[in-house]
Amino acid sequence: MIEARHLSKLYSRGVYALRDLNLTIAKGEFLFLTGPSGAGKSTLLRLLLREELPSEGEVTVAGRNLSVLSSQEVQAYRRSLGFVFQDFRLIPRMSVFQNVAFVMRVLGVPVPVQQRRTFQMLKWVGLQHRMNALPDELSGGEQQRIAIARALVNEPQLVLADEPTGNLDPDLSLEIMNLLREINARGTTVVVATHDRELIRRVGRRAVTLDHGRITEVG
Ligand SMILES: Nc1ncnc2c1ncn2[C@@H]1O[C@H](COP(=O)(O)OP(=O)(O)OP(=O)(O)O)[C@@H](O)[C@H]1O
Ligand SMILES: [Mg+2]
């Protein structure tokens, strides 16, 4: 699913965020990226999301080299992914329902299909009763579940999550992970960046450790 070859990222100020990184992630895999603050986890996810371009090397996702996509292809590519940010990035003026349905609306999915899928996802994350609420009327954990519902509503082949449990207590963190495990069990490839070693231990999937932009451990 994902092939990174000799991948390096040098930010303009001269910091190597990633250094000659080689990594293969299989289709259907659930993989953790871990390592200390500044290790390069978010940078790798940003390269996979095609928010950044590599300085050297290349990354292919489902056989497509992300460095050679046109801007239209980049947009289509991003919409084909599910992405969960640590800070949720829900749209504040839109209701929970509208937030989850938003990408389908942009893609021109028929309204009845938008409604059916949005209800299904809200039910799945246990928040259908809050569908008319605004994001800031929800708790952090509820907002995070909405962010996950939004990322998964389009049944993406690949889900990328950057510290999706960064603001949550251990029980809620595990609950979020269980949602991601469930979607993974249905065939979606999942990549999660987290510094939470205890959470990785409890979930028990392959973890790649980064330090100073290099892979130091695959466990
Ligand atoms: N836009 C940027 N410009 C310059 N340097 C950056 C930029 N973004 C990240 N860096 C640097 O790149 C390195 C890797 O950062 P990155 O955000 O990928 O780390 P991380 O592993 O996600 O850390 P954290 O656990 O704190 O989120 C760090 O040294 C960081 O300071
Ligand atoms: Mg980060």
Side-chain angles (χ1 to χ4, degrees), residues 95-110:
S95 70
V96 160
F97 185 95
Q98 288 169 325
N99 265 281
V100 175
F102 182 71
V103 173
M104 288 187 286
R105 211 178 85 200
V106 172
L107 289 173
V109 172

Side-chain angles (χ1 to χ4, degrees), residues 114-131:
Q114 287 183 32
Q115 291 182 333
R116 181 167 47 79
R117 286 209 208 144
T118 302
F119 284 132
Q120 259 173 9
M121 290 309 294
L122 289 176
K123 204 171 155 198
W124 181 61
V125 299
L127 286 171
Q128 71 274 39
H129 60 292
R130 300 306 310 273
M131 67 178 189

